[in-house]
Every structure is written in C-alpha cells, then in structure tokens.
Amino acid sequence: FGIFGAALEGEWLRSDGYRSVSGDDRGPVDRATPSEHGNLDSRFTLAITPKFNVTTNLAYFREVQNGGTRFTTSEVTLGLASVGFAYDADSAGRFDLSVFGRRERFGQVRARVDETRETESRAGRQSVPSGDEGGSLTWTSPELRGFGKHQFLRGVDARHIRGDSTDRRGWWGDQFLTD
C-alpha cells in the first residue's frame, strides 16, 4: 500500500483425534486423542524514506493435546515480538538492526495406567517456561567488482536465553506432592 506493507496470517485446527490403543488392548481409561492449535502472525513494514524501512512482527501460537487418557495432556504457548530497521547508505553500504523477544511455556501432565488399563492416576506434571531476547546489527558493503561481483557482510549479534523446568511426581491439589 505505497509506503506501508502489512500481512496477517492465521490458522486454527481442531481434531477429535484417534484411538492410540488398539481395540483388544484398550481399557476403560483409554480415550481418543483430541488436539487443537492456532497461530496468528502479523507483519508491518513502513518505508519512512526510500532508503529507511522499519518492520515489525508479532506472533502467537497455542496448542493443546490429549494423549489418550484423562491425565495425559500437554499444552504449549509461544509469543514473539520483533522490530527491524534497514538503512541503505548508498556508497557506504546497507545497515540492518533488529531486536526481538520471545516467551514460551510448555506444560504436560503424565498418567500412570494399571496393567489392565482400568484405572489411571496422575504420575506427574511438568512446567517449562522459557524466553529469550536479542538483537543483531549487520553491514553489507556496496557491490565490489573485480573477478566478478562481490559484497562483504559484517555483523554482530547477541542473545540471552533462559528457561526453567519443574517436574513433580504424584498427585497435587489436596494431595501431597513430592519433587
């Protein structure tokens, strides 16, 4: 749209799943494996001048799954934001700067199923939040001639990543929980 560009993408999927345990081996605890996921991604670009552009990106993803029993579930969510700047300095080359941040969370509940597949109990749960942020700066030289066409690319980037995993065995809520 002239100096402004935009893109919006999305997806949503829901499935009733399937039976993960065959008919003869299936017990009362076995269910289908439904899942649901969706994502949304947006990008915006603005040409402030013919030589200076700004780009942003915002994205979100979420997925929920069931592994075939009441206590076998998982969920993941992810959010991302970034902004980038590009400047074409003609004979001095091109400069690109970008920064980003992301947050992610994974969680699951695991089941303990008896041999006859008649009863199940919560065997544990896991929670894994994580995130990272960073940026990069690059310079691309103007085109150089001599033995063909060439360009140099120089850059630096930095990234900080952190995460934590908490695993718990047994029941929780009104029951005692061991680590």
Side-chain angles (χ1 to χ4, degrees):
F1 309 106
I3 65 169
F4 180 72
L8 182 63
E9 303 170 37
E11 173 188 27
W12 181 72
L13 173 73
R14 182 180 179 279
S15 169
D16 291 334
Y18 57 90
R19 297 285 183 167
S20 61
V21 177
S22 67
D24 293 341
D25 296 327
R26 193 176 303 144
V29 301
D30 296 305
R31 302 174 174 194
T33 57
S35 67
E36 185 175 309
H37 82 258
N39 69 301
L40 187 61
D41 189 5
S42 64
R43 292 183 198 95
F44 303 98
T45 302
L46 177 63
I48 295 174
T49 72
K51 296 182 183 281
F52 183 60
N53 293 314
V54 177
T55 302
T56 63
N57 182 346
L58 297 170
Y60 179 78
F61 172 82
R62 181 170 188 260
E63 181 176 53
V64 178
Q65 294 182 334
N66 181 288
T69 72
R70 185 172 56 153
F71 296 135
T72 307
T73 61
S74 66
E75 180 178 344
V76 65
T77 57
L78 175 112
L80 168 71
S82 68
V83 62
F85 305 91
Y87 178 64
D88 185 353
D90 293 325
S91 62
R94 178 183 165 107
F95 297 88
D96 291 279
L97 171 68
S98 64
V99 294
F100 70 90
R102 176 177 29 213
R103 298 294 174 263
E104 194 171 342
R105 178 173 161 66
F106 170 76
Q108 69 175 345
V109 176
R110 294 175 299 279
R112 181 176 295 115
V113 178
D114 74 336
E115 238 177 71
T116 62
R117 303 198 67 79
E118 291 184 14
T119 63
E120 79 173 307
S121 60
R122 291 181 182 135
R125 68 178 172 175
Q126 180 183 36
S127 175
V128 186
S130 62
D132 62 323
E133 53 274 327
S136 68
L137 174 64
T138 60
W139 167 75
T140 306
S141 74
E143 191 173 274
L144 304 172
R145 295 186 182 267
F147 302 107
K149 297 178 184 178
H150 306 281
Q151 287 183 296
F152 290 104
L153 175 66
R154 306 270 324 217
V156 61
D157 62 3
R159 186 175 197 173
H160 176 258
I161 302 171
R162 71 191 162 292
D164 185 34
S165 180
T166 303
D167 293 272
R168 297 188 182 264
R169 297 178 289 148
W171 288 91
W172 56 90
D174 60 352
Q175 300 290 323
F176 181 74
L177 186 64
T178 59
D179 289 319

